[in-house]
Amino acid sequence: MKSASIYPFTAIVGQEKMKLALILNVINPGLSGVLIRGEKGTAKSTAVRALADILPEIEVYADDPFQLTPGEEEAAYLEIAKLLGIAGDSLPAVQKRKVKVVELPVGATEDRVVGTMDLEHALKKGEKRIEPGLLAAAHRGILYVDEVNLLDDHVVDVLLDSAAMGVNSIEREGVSFAHPARFTLVGTMNPEEGELRPQLLDRFGLCVNIEGITTADDRVAVMERRAAFDDHPEDFIAQWAAESEALTARILDARRLYPQVTVARERLYEIARYCLDVGVDGHRGDIIILKTAKTLAAYEGRSQVGAQNIQTAAELALPHRVRRQPLMEIADNVDKLKTRRAG
């Protein structure tokens, strides 16, 4: 069966802030994800699937439900294989596959997300065995949570913990077990359907507010490109292949450069002043701005963080962290935050 064609990421019209936030999280999953707030029909899910499609294939062990990295995570694989009852005399074959987008349903339970005991196996064999959850499937991929504000708060907490630490722990029926769970977390929500609690908002690394495109030219471009894709998807994808390949190469270069990016001490004071000026509680905002600014510099091919990197990072990391009055909207830029603070 032929898989459905995926609309090219580079062909998406507008929504530049959303696209940038997604790219930065793919370069550096340590940013703890991005929350996309906005109305329906603004290319949120299209952008997530399209970005995953252009990422390089990853190597995995054949039939490994935990998507572990061959060689690098070999010891973890052997330990997990014993718990799953699949340990053999030798390691399985290594194969390549595309980066996965794992979608989390709104009604997902904690057991479905984290993993649980395989009760059927326990009853039949009298042995305890782990049943992997969605976090295992999302390792080294993208975990996409539509309408995250409608999820149970405890499930959101579990997702955010794993996104921040890169590890998922399963403790069931006397078995304590942990496995790698490094993924890019993308949550979407329509603010009209209710907000996340401030404590949960703060746990998302970045946040963007998006709206429908408001210029006639851009709306026409959306229609023309979508019609061309629907009529002749392969031809349309080929037209954007060069741009897609260039973006893939840029992401890979940024991943390699990120560990070498440095930040002058005066830039750290700039970050601190941004957070103090808008009245951010705690220090998570400062740390996320620092990580985001370094990722931006790497994406731009530079080994030192500049003032513009700090400003852009603040735009992405601060608006959802500011204490707000009831019914007050989350601002979409730092200037509005500063004005509100001064008022």
Side-chain angles (χ1 to χ4, degrees), residues 128-158:
K128 294 180 179 179
R129 191 166 79 176
I130 295 295
E131 180 80 21
L134 291 172
L135 292 180
H139 180 46
R140 302 168 66 204
I142 297 174
L143 184 61
Y144 180 70
V145 188
D146 196 17
E147 298 183 320
V148 66
N149 51 321
L150 303 184
L151 275 180
D152 179 81
D153 281 355
H154 182 62
V155 173
V156 179
D157 255 335
V158 168

Side-chain angles (χ1 to χ4, degrees), residues 207-227:
C207 178
V208 293
N209 294 320
I210 59 173
E211 299 175 347
I213 293 172
T214 56
T215 68
D217 286 345
D218 284 344
R219 293 180 79 95
V220 168
V222 170
M223 290 186 283
E224 288 176 337
R225 292 183 188 181
R226 189 69 216 192

Side-chain angles (χ1 to χ4, degrees), residues 271-342:
I271 293 172
R273 282 192 290 270
Y274 267 112
C275 293
L276 289 170
D277 285 350
V278 301
V280 173
D281 292 331
H283 301 283
R284 187 174 282 128
D286 307 64
I287 293 167
I288 292 295
I289 292 175
L290 174 59
K291 289 182 178 180
T292 304
K294 289 177 64 178
T295 309
L296 280 162
Y299 184 53
E300 293 169 1
R302 294 185 295 102
S303 59
Q304 189 158 18
V305 169
Q308 185 59 50
N309 297 141
I310 302 292
Q311 181 175 338
T312 302
E315 295 279 349
L316 295 169
L318 289 185
H320 61 303
R321 292 194 157 86
V322 177
R323 188 184 302 155
R324 307 188 312 283
Q325 299 298 320
L327 305 180
M328 185 181 289
E329 286 291 312
I330 291 178
D332 58 4
N333 62 61
V334 173
D335 288 338
K336 286 184 181 178
L337 288 175
K338 288 182 177 178
T339 301
R340 182 182 295 168
R341 175 82 167 165

